[in-house]
Amino acid sequence: MGIKILGLETSCDETAAAVVEDGVQVLSNVVASQVEIHARYGGVVPEVASRQHLLTIIPILKQALSEASVNLKELSAVAVTTGPGLAGSLLVGVNLAKSLALATGLPLIGVNHLEGHIYANWLEGSFIEFPALCLIVSGGHTELVLMKDHGEYLLLGRTRDDAAGEAFDKVARLLNLGYPGGPAIERAAKGVSDPFPLPRAWLPGTADFSFSGLKTAVLHLARDLGVSEDSPPELIGRIAAGFQEAVIDVLVTKTLRAAEEHGARQILLGGGVASNLRFREELSSRSPLPVLIPRPIFCTDNAAMIASCGYFKLKAGRISGWDLDVDPGAQLLSGSS
Ligand code: KG4
Ligand code: ZN
C-alpha cells in the first residue's frame, strides 16, 4: 500500500484538490478555474477569488476523494499551499487543511507554492538528478533556482519587475487579445514567420530578469502602428510573435547559462508559462542537458504538485504544527513551507 497524500491549492484563482500516491502517481487531480469570472475584469480580483474558493472547495475536495476512490482514513497526510499568493484565497485552503487534520488526526504539511511548481516534475515519472536548475515562470513569479536536493534551494535570479506571465497578460491586453494573456498570445503568434523585432533585457552579470521595458516597447510599437480592435490579425500576430520570441530568448539563454555555471545535471520547468509550446520547444532544442517539463495541466496551478511536495516533506519528517499560517509573500528558501 502506497502513501496517499491529499493536496489542497487555493493560492490564486484556481480551487484545486488532488490525491497523489508516493509523491509520483496522480490518483485524482481536480481543478476548478475561476478564469471566466475574472476575465470580465481583465485580471484576478482578490475578494472575488476568496469568496469563490469558499463556495467551491468542499465539492472539489469530495470530487478529488471520490475520483481517487479513497476516504479520509486511507490518507497519510494533508498538504496545503501556504504562500506565496493572495491572503484571503490561501486562508480558505489552509483553514480547510487544518480542520481536516484536526478531525482525522492526519499530519498537516504546509507547502510553498513555488516549491509545488518544481515538484510538478515528479508527477511525470522521470528520474530526477541533483543538482537541478529550476525555472519557475508563472503569472506572479519568474525565478531561477538551483535545487541541490529535496527541500534545498538556492535562489539564483528573479524578475526585477513584471513576472513573465504577467508580461504576457499585460501585452495581450494591449493587443486586445483578452485574458488570460499567455494562451492568447501563443495562439496569435502561431505560424508567424516575420515577427517584429523587439528588445531583450539581458541584465549582464546577473541571473535576474526584467520584462517591463519589453512591455513598454510593445506599447510604443502598437501606438506607432495604430493598433486597435479592428487591426488585422496578421499585424497583431506579428507583434505577439515578436514579444513571445523576446521573452523566450531571454528565459532560455539565461536558464542555460545558469545551468552551465552551477553544474546542473538537469533542467526542470514549472509554472503556467511553461505550458507555452514554443517555449518548451526552444528550451528543449537549445539545451545540452535533459529538460523536464510537466504536462500543461501540471504547469498551471494544481493540487497534485502540492501533494507530491507534501510526500517528500512527510518522508523527511517536515510536518507543520497548528500554528501553520498563510504567508502571502513567502520566498522559496531551504526548508521553507
Ligand atoms: O502558474 P499559474 O497557473 O498561476 C500562477 O501561479 O501565477 O500561471 C498563470 C500564468 C498567467 O500569467 C498566464 O498568462 C500564463 O501563466 N500562461 C502562459 C500560457 N499559459 C498560461 N503564458 C504563456 N504561454 C502560455 N501558453
Ligand atoms: Zn502558480
Side-chain angles (χ1 to χ4, degrees):
M1 273 283 285
I3 292 183
K4 293 173 186 154
I5 306 228
L6 170 69
L8 297 172
E9 155 67 44
T10 61
S11 67
C12 190
D13 61 340
E14 256 96 31
T15 316
V19 179
V20 173
E21 188 165 353
D22 296 332
V24 293
Q25 205 192 338
V26 181
L27 303 184
S28 66
N29 179 45
V30 185
V31 181
S33 172
Q34 305 176 5
V35 73
E36 280 171 22
I37 297 168
H38 298 286
R40 79 179 88 132
Y41 307 105
V44 177
V45 184
E47 181 65 20
V48 174
S50 45
R51 281 167 189 266
Q52 199 58 36
H53 284 306
L54 270 178
L55 293 174
T56 326
I57 189 83
I58 298 294
I60 292 295
L61 165 68
K62 286 185 175 159
Q63 193 181 336
L65 293 173
S66 114
E67 283 183 15
S69 304
V70 293
N71 57 45
L72 287 170
K73 289 194 198 101
E74 293 167 292
L75 295 170
S76 297
V78 181
V80 63
T81 307
T82 54
L86 301 168
S89 292
L90 290 162
L91 270 168
V92 177
V94 168
N95 283 335
L96 176 62
K98 278 183 162 177
S99 319
L100 288 171
L102 188 64
T104 56
L106 291 172
L108 173 69
I109 302 172
V111 171
N112 179 297
H113 181 76
L114 300 173
E115 203 175 2
H117 275 302
I118 295 174
Y119 274 87
N121 287 281
W122 268 261
L123 302 172
E124 300 297 358
S126 315
F127 179 69
I128 293 174
E129 284 185 275
F130 298 117
L133 202 281
C134 311
L135 174 66
I136 309 158
V137 266
S138 70
H141 296 273
T142 305
E143 326 241 354
L144 260 183
V145 175
L146 188 70
M147 184 174 188
K148 299 188 219 164
D149 204 338
H150 286 291
E152 274 189 46
Y153 308 99
L154 178 66
L155 179 64
L156 304 175
R158 62 196 313 186
T159 182
R160 293 189 182 173
D161 39 61
D162 292 343
E166 188 180 1
F168 269 91
D169 293 333
K170 288 179 175 170
V171 165
R173 198 181 313 178
L174 271 173
L175 300 178
N176 304 305
L177 290 171
Y179 172 86
I185 297 254
E186 183 173 10
R187 271 194 305 277
K190 196 154 182 249
V192 171
S193 56
D194 53 350
F196 280 106
L198 283 161
R200 283 106 165 107
W202 294 111
L203 307 183
T206 80
D208 282 349
F209 299 93
S210 166
F211 296 108
S212 69
L214 172 60
K215 182 189 64 193
T216 309
V218 175
L219 176 70
H220 289 307
L221 179 64
R223 274 198 193 147
D224 293 349
L225 294 169
V227 164
S228 72
E229 294 199 6
D230 304 323
S231 296
E234 295 73 28
L235 180 73
I236 301 296
R238 290 183 64 202
I239 306 175
F243 163 79
Q244 182 172 263
E245 287 309 304
V247 174
I248 292 175
D249 191 15
V250 174
L251 289 176
V252 171
T253 305
K254 298 200 86 160
T255 300
L256 296 181
R257 195 176 298 155
E260 193 187 346
E261 262 173 40
H262 293 273
R265 307 182 69 166
Q266 280 181 335
I267 294 174
L268 311 184
L269 277 194
V273 180
S275 59
N276 184 291
L277 294 178
R278 177 73 197 101
F279 174 41
R280 297 160 79 99
E281 253 170 41
E282 183 74 6
L283 181 61
S284 302
S285 69
R286 280 173 54 186
S287 174
L289 297 173
V291 178
L292 301 187
I293 311 176
R295 265 166 285 173
I297 49 158
F298 296 136
C299 285
T300 45
D301 288 349
N302 67 87
M305 67 186 195
I306 303 301
S308 172
C309 182
Y311 168 81
F312 290 98
K313 287 194 163 200
L314 181 69
K315 263 192 20 178
R318 288 175 37 215
I319 290 166
S320 307
W322 292 118
D323 57 351
L324 183 73
D325 202 354
V326 300
D327 186 0
Q331 310 260 353
L332 183 58
L333 303 168
S334 293
S336 65
S337 68

